[in-house]
Amino acid sequence: MPPPGRDMHEWSLACELVREAEIEARRRSALRVHAVKASVGVLTGVVPELLQRAYEMARQGTCLEEAPLEIEVEAVRARCPQCGREVTLHSPALVCPDCSSLGLEILGGDGIFLASLELEVAEAAGGNHV
Amino acid sequence: MCDTCGCGLPEEAKNHAHEHDHDPGHTHREEAVLYRNLLAANEAQARENREHLMEHGVLAVNLMSSPGAGKTSLIEAVVDSLSGKLRVGVIEGDLATDRDAERIRALGLPVWQITTGSTCHLDAAMVHEALHRLPLDSIDLLFVENVGNLVCPGLYDLGCHLNGVLLSVTEGDDKVAKYPVIFRYAQFFCITKSDLLPYVSFDSSKPQREARILKGDLKTFSLSAKGGEGVEAFLSYLLAERHALSS
């Protein structure tokens, strides 16, 4: 039986997050990874708490073992075709808060990203990088 | 000398505006701003799958729904109505068992079962594996039956040409607004088990209207795989899409 939490898409995304972060840390010859930041769009349906839990498991045995994950939730940005307003929504229900129109044009908040890494790096070449 | 913080410079020239630990080995903290798309690898594999399917002239259709909405029954009904007009193959995705694959095998069709174990969705890499196990040159129409789930599959492009959501009338007519991600991702929407409409409180016009509002060009169907009503219209749609692929 896999550990709890591996049954959601958050598990696959956490694995991808760890993989990308490791690649980037190596590419930059980082000596240590201090922190990881992810950005999760509301429209992805990804649950931040589940992603956090999945990350705790996925990072085991990697250079991220001491790097906490911070998740920023990106609200949906959309334009209403009826009233023309640009709106910000904090739930995936795509309804214009002003005129109740549906059919909103999505401008952001539908992606999931490795946003940034806080790295310890050497001034010059050398050192035992991760 | 460390040129980031100026530690080799006179005290007054140092710029310590950025926070960092400073050890004798001259290391410092830096923030790497990346905004790297975590679905990019899947999207790249999906594009490859699509090209591979095109090369073999296969129209691939991803069927998504909650468990029990009738994905396998719809495939059976389509195969029955096709009466050999197209050669059908199936990729079955399930958490466990190959019961659905057995049903397809009983129809004499090529089928490959993906047992995801605990993963709630299929992804492009799993489909890629399955494509190599199927006789693609003997298939015109490939159904990919996703794991029963209305949330997760909507994030993962499999490389299919068409993605469809099934909603059975017993599930309630409020599901489109509740699961917008998967409906936005789809090209068609089938209300299934329409033969049960007299027994349930389900206003078919509501989810169809809401789905079209979410996605203007979404094709919608209402059908009963058991009774056969509406299956012909869906079949015509698939035949037209298959024709468009090869022309």
Side-chain angles (χ1 to χ4, degrees):
Chain A
M1 279 288 283
R6 292 193 184 183
D7 51 351
M8 293 299 290
H9 56 319
E10 282 81 1
W11 170 250
S12 319
L13 292 167
C15 293
E16 195 60 22
L17 178 70
V18 167
R19 199 178 74 92
E20 285 290 334
E22 277 194 293
I23 290 171
E24 195 59 30
R26 286 212 182 86
R27 200 178 71 78
R28 291 173 185 250
S29 304
L31 302 165
R32 201 180 146 192
V33 183
H34 289 291
V36 179
K37 200 183 274 183
S39 168
V40 174
V42 164
L43 268 190
T44 61
V46 170
V47 181
E49 293 76 16
L50 292 178
L51 181 63
Q52 185 70 251
R53 223 165 69 191
Y55 172 76
E56 306 296 331
M57 291 191 286
R59 69 172 168 169
Q60 285 172 24
T62 75
C63 65
L64 307 176
E65 266 183 332
E66 288 170 34
L69 171 67
E70 186 189 327
I71 301 171
E72 56 182 24
V73 175
E74 193 193 351
V76 182
R77 285 183 303 108
R79 189 177 294 115
C80 174
Q82 292 304 313
C83 68
R85 247 197 74 190
E86 205 172 302
V87 298
T88 302
L89 305 168
H90 299 280
S91 89
L94 298 173
V95 183
C96 175
D98 281 354
C99 70
S100 303
S101 292
L102 297 171
L104 304 182
E105 181 197 347
I106 307 304
L107 306 173
D110 58 349
I112 173 157
F113 303 94
L114 164 60
S116 66
L117 291 175
E118 198 180 324
L119 305 170
E120 190 75 25
V121 293
E123 298 304 335
N128 299 318
H129 58 74
V130 294
Chain B
M1 187 191 78
C2 164
D3 60 2
T4 304
C5 68
C7 59
L9 298 175
E11 195 61 39
E12 62 273 19
K14 287 182 182 174
N15 171 17
H16 276 268
H18 63 289
E19 234 183 279
H20 62 282
D21 295 326
H22 225 283
D23 69 24
H26 285 265
T27 70
H28 70 275
R29 281 190 187 211
E30 70 174 28
E31 191 190 22
V33 178
L34 303 163
Y35 278 89
R36 193 155 300 158
N37 177 8
L38 293 181
L39 293 167
N42 185 72
E43 285 160 12
Q45 180 65 65
R47 279 194 296 274
E48 203 177 289
N49 289 354
R50 207 153 16 238
E51 281 164 22
H52 188 62
L53 288 158
M54 289 288 276
E55 281 165 21
H56 291 269
V58 179
L59 176 77
V61 181
N62 174 22
L63 296 179
M64 303 175 288
S65 77
S66 52
K71 296 183 290 297
T72 315
S73 297
L74 179 61
I75 296 171
E76 289 169 331
V78 165
V79 170
D80 188 45
S81 305
L82 266 174
S83 46
K85 275 183 231 141
L86 292 177
R87 297 165 299 171
V88 177
V90 180
I91 295 173
E92 281 289 345
D94 279 297
L95 294 174
T97 84
D98 63 347
R99 287 180 185 170
D100 288 347
E102 279 305 317
R103 283 170 63 180
I104 301 300
R105 216 168 275 131
L107 301 174
L109 304 179
V111 57
W112 184 257
Q113 172 80 49
I114 301 171
T115 306
T116 61
S118 57
T119 305
C120 53
H121 59 271
L122 294 180
D123 65 25
M126 294 179 202
V127 170
H128 170 81
E129 284 291 312
L131 291 181
H132 287 286
R133 312 283 185 160
L134 286 167
L136 292 183
D137 287 329
S138 317
I139 294 173
D140 305 308
L141 172 61
L142 176 69
F143 285 108
V144 181
E145 186 178 332
N146 218 312
V147 179
N149 185 332
L150 273 181
V151 181
C152 318
L155 270 189
Y156 289 88
D157 187 356
L158 303 182
C160 290
H161 304 96
L162 298 174
N163 302 286
V165 185
L166 278 61
L167 176 69
S168 61
V169 300
T170 53
E171 290 171 73
D173 56 18
D174 59 346
K175 295 296 176 289
V176 174
K178 281 188 177 174
Y179 300 94
V181 176
I182 206 159
F183 284 94
R184 280 187 60 237
Y185 172 60
Q187 285 79 43
F188 69 86
F189 167 36
C190 293
I191 292 172
T192 60
K193 307 188 189 180
S194 65
D195 51 309
L196 296 179
L197 275 172
Y199 312 104
V200 292
S201 172
F202 186 95
D203 174 4
S204 294
S205 67
K206 183 180 167 186
Q208 288 193 346
R209 187 178 63 246
E210 289 182 349
R212 279 203 202 94
I213 290 167
L214 276 178
K215 191 154 187 203
D217 56 354
L218 192 73
K219 296 264 188 266
T220 64
F221 303 91
S222 177
L223 52 87
S224 162
K226 196 176 175 197
E229 299 90 354
V231 174
E232 278 302 322
F234 180 59
L235 192 62
S236 304
Y237 166 65
L238 293 179
L239 286 168
E241 290 289 332
R242 173 62 179 75
H243 183 72
L245 188 75
S246 51
S247 60

